[in-house]
Amino acid sequence: MTFKLLTLGCKVNSYEIAAVKSAFLKHGYKEDKTNPDIVVINTCSVTEVSDAKSRKIIRQLFLI
């Protein structure tokens, strides 16, 4: 299985996504940024504006 990690938002997300990546790798998953089986999106939103920006980026990435 392969995975791709995306981080949107605050600096704390960088630490969290590093832990997620470590767990995936520990369990034998391989990182694949072009054609992954699993995509994890870690967002952080404090305001309505940041929520809207995250939703917009996610829709653009996955053409929803």
Side-chain angles (χ1 to χ4, degrees):
M1 293 285 279
T2 59
F3 68 93
K4 177 179 180 174
L5 306 173
L6 299 171
T7 301
L8 307 172
C10 62
K11 292 181 183 182
V12 173
N13 288 10
S14 297
Y15 171 78
E16 292 172 343
I17 210 73
V20 171
K21 181 177 181 176
S22 177
F24 271 118
L25 294 173
K26 180 180 176 182
H27 287 91
Y29 291 79
K30 305 235 187 272
E31 189 168 15
D32 182 346
K33 295 180 180 182
T34 58
N35 191 27
D37 298 309
I38 300 167
V39 177
V40 176
I41 303 172
N42 189 11
T43 65
C44 177
S45 61
V46 178
T47 66
E48 190 174 326
V49 172
S50 58
D51 274 345
K53 285 181 182 180
S54 290
R55 286 192 304 274
K56 181 179 178 183
I57 291 169
I58 291 166
R59 280 193 295 272
Q60 288 173 343
L61 290 170
F62 296 101
L63 303 172
I64 296 174

